[in-house]
Amino acid sequence: MKRIENIDIKNKKVIIRVDFNVPLDKNLNIIDDNRIKQSLKTINYCLDKNCKIILLSHLGKVKTISDKKTKSLKVVAKHLSKLLNKEVIFVDEPRGEKVNNVVKNMKDKDIVLLENTRFLDLEGMLESNCDENLSKYWASLGEVFINDAFGTIHRSHASNVGIAKYVKEKCLGFLVLKELDNFMPIINNPDKPFTVIMGGAKVSDKIGIITNLLNKADNILIGGAMAYTFLKAKGKEIGKSIVDEESIDFAKEILNKTNKIILPIDHITATNMDSNNYVIKNELNKDDYGLDIGPKTIALFRTYLEKSKTIFWNGPMGYYENKTYQTGTKEICEIISKLNVISVVGGGDSAACVIDLGYIDKFTHISTGGGASLELIEGKSLPGLEVMK
Ligand code: ADP
Ligand code: MG
């Protein structure tokens, strides 16, 4: 796989697949621009090399015509232009006459952003089913293809996999390289002791990760709602806490196989998920919801984290959408931020809440890819990477 710094892009017309799939509020304001900011390194590098730059991205899922109003990249073009302090030419279609004209007349250092690639999903899922003609069309727009969209690297779409098949030259951009440079050591040979900390809600989504990391990790600390599936598997009362019934057998099997799994020893509980009247308990009653890890659990987890050289974290420690139940997640951030370790955070909600709590600079790496980071750590092969080999 070629790295961007190892190919000659000087004065060329480059197509960069970026990940501008940012969250928007009801008024179409960008809630979190981290993914746009993370793509600036590659864009600025291409500007320095005097390139003409064509940017492709999707934004959300496009299922009906009305999605065109709420999933337009126009707001992103405006924001990108502000961040770069430079004009970004926005074309309000991802393919067609307007695109051809703008691209034909580009000057050096011009930046063009095409409309949401998934608008073409309205014409028979052309983007998401990796349509050959569409792939060839996008490939024909430039001379070099740079894949810098880590968030979609686990998908086989026309704008990442398709296009890569038909361009003369291709390479990975700085954002994708940074993700791989941070994840590969964890997957292949982490500095030991290696501690994995997991939370969130559904065990079934994370079975692959637990299975793949079980042999590599020295300990797996489990908090969040995920812990209740494991506690139930051990025969503990979990009250009304969220449980993933279909994963109880898996949890039993893992607990029988290894003693690496460390579970909560106390809980922040309430008798209603949206109540702020919480109680700290060592054992739950049948009416309790376990909504966060308790102070003894935080202290227990701390002992494992402090002796680690590498930490991988996926999944919030509690129901963090309610501020009352953010303490466990925040304390874990605080503990890790004080340690001299390699610390990597993966998962959409996990990254969002670590950033939201103010720890964006306190980890070695916070992944920009939700599903992509989880598939990578599961050890799956990713189509967006395979095609670049
Ligand atoms: P990620 O996207 O990082 O992989 P998940 O999607 O697996 O993370 O989990 C995030 C969700 O888990 C959040 O919505 C959070 O509120 C929820 N969660 C974590 N712990 C609890 C709990 N004890 N009770 C209810 N929900 C929880
Ligand atoms: Mg999630």
Side-chain angles (χ1 to χ4, degrees), residues 41 46 50 53 79 104 121-122 161 187 240 242-243 324 336 343-344 362 368 372:
K41 188 168 175 190
C46 294
N50 210 37
I53 302 168
H79 190 67
K104 197 169 67 195
D121 279 349
L122 294 172
V161 169
I187 296 163
K240 292 179 174 161
I242 291 181
V243 59
T324 307
I336 298 175
S343 53
V344 175
K362 305 286 185 188
T368 56

Side-chain angles (χ1 to χ4, degrees), residues 7 16 51 68 73 91 107 133 159 206 215 218 223 232 252-253 256 265 281 313 359 380 383 388:
I7 75 165
I16 314 177
C51 295
K68 282 191 165 189
L73 281 170
V91 186
K107 294 186 287 296
N133 288 330
S159 64
K206 311 288 172 76
N215 291 326
D218 295 284
K232 186 160 184 189
K252 278 186 187 157
E253 198 185 301
N256 280 333
I265 50 174
K281 292 185 176 177
W313 183 8
Y359 290 86
K380 284 192 181 163
M388 302 301 276

Side-chain angles (χ1 to χ4, degrees), residues 60-317:
K61 289 198 170 100
V62 181
K63 291 180 177 156
T64 60
I65 293 272
S66 63
D67 286 338
K68 282 191 165 189
K69 279 195 202 111
T70 53
K71 307 280 168 63
S72 170
L73 281 170
K74 195 170 177 182
V75 286
V76 173
K78 217 169 142 190
H79 190 67
L80 177 65
S81 163
K82 221 183 276 171
L83 290 174
L84 289 166
N85 196 18
K86 176 176 171 50
E87 186 193 8
V88 172
I89 303 160
F90 177 68
V91 186
D92 65 0
E93 58 183 29
R95 177 186 68 175
E97 273 310 304
K98 283 188 208 165
V99 176
N100 303 343
N101 283 332
V102 170
V103 167
K104 197 169 67 195
N105 295 316
M106 282 176 84
K107 294 186 287 296
D108 292 347
K109 293 186 200 264
D110 271 357
I111 301 176
V112 170
L113 172 63
L114 304 189
E115 184 54 285
N116 188 349
T117 54
R118 287 194 187 163
F119 277 20
L120 294 167
D121 279 349
L122 294 172
E123 300 170 27
M125 301 303 282
L126 297 182
E127 157 72 325
S128 294
N129 284 341
C130 202
D131 179 77
E132 195 181 314
N133 288 330
L134 179 60
S135 304
K136 284 181 182 163
Y137 170 75
W138 277 329
S140 75
L141 297 178
E143 297 157 274
V144 180
F145 174 60
I146 303 169
N147 190 352
D148 211 21
F150 184 71
T152 45
I153 209 115
H154 59 318
R155 306 278 182 226
S156 186
H157 292 171
S159 64
N160 63 339
V161 169
I163 203 171
K165 290 182 188 160
Y166 300 107
V167 282
K168 266 184 263 135
E169 269 196 293
K170 57 191 174 218
C171 65
L172 298 173
F174 291 111
L175 186 159
V176 168
L177 291 169
K178 183 172 166 231
E179 296 277 0
L180 297 180
D181 290 346
N182 280 289
F183 274 106
M184 285 314 174
I186 289 196
I187 296 163
N188 295 328
N189 86 48
D191 262 0
K192 303 269 230 165
F194 172 33
T195 301
V196 174
I197 175 160
M198 297 198 69
K202 266 191 122 181
V203 182
S204 56
D205 288 352
K206 311 288 172 76
I207 285 177
I209 299 179
I210 299 172
T211 311
N212 192 34
L213 293 182
L214 200 58
N215 291 326
K216 292 165 190 152
D218 295 284
N219 289 105
I220 302 185
L221 318 177
I222 298 185
M226 184 185 267
Y228 297 107
T229 302
F230 283 86
L231 289 169
K232 186 160 184 189
K234 280 181 85 170
K236 294 262 187 192
E237 173 64 62
I238 59 156
K240 292 179 174 161
S241 311
I242 291 181
V243 59
D244 188 2
E245 293 287 349
E246 62 180 276
S247 300
I248 289 184
D249 286 341
F250 168 77
K252 278 186 187 157
E253 198 185 301
I254 292 286
L255 291 168
N256 280 333
K257 203 155 66 181
T258 172
N259 51 14
K260 289 180 180 177
I261 306 278
I262 312 298
L263 297 171
I265 50 174
D266 63 346
H267 314 264
I268 310 286
T269 75
T271 48
N272 171 338
M273 254 188 102
D274 293 307
S275 158
N276 292 324
N277 284 328
Y278 66 86
V279 184
I280 303 175
K281 292 185 176 177
N282 295 343
E283 305 282 341
L284 300 184
N285 292 330
K286 67 178 186 7
D287 290 327
D288 293 328
Y289 284 85
L291 295 170
D292 197 1
I293 53 174
K296 287 182 198 157
T297 305
I298 294 169
L300 174 68
F301 285 5
R302 176 194 289 274
T303 61
Y304 289 96
L305 296 169
E306 281 181 346
K307 39 178 204 221
S308 308
K309 290 224 171 78
T310 308
I311 297 169
F312 172 71
W313 183 8
N314 168 256
M317 291 293 104

Side-chain angles (χ1 to χ4, degrees), residues 8-20:
D8 178 21
I9 59 168
K10 214 166 180 190
N11 302 320
K12 287 186 179 160
K13 203 178 252 179
V14 298
I15 308 156
I16 314 177
R17 176 51 162 104
V18 283
D19 179 8
F20 288 163

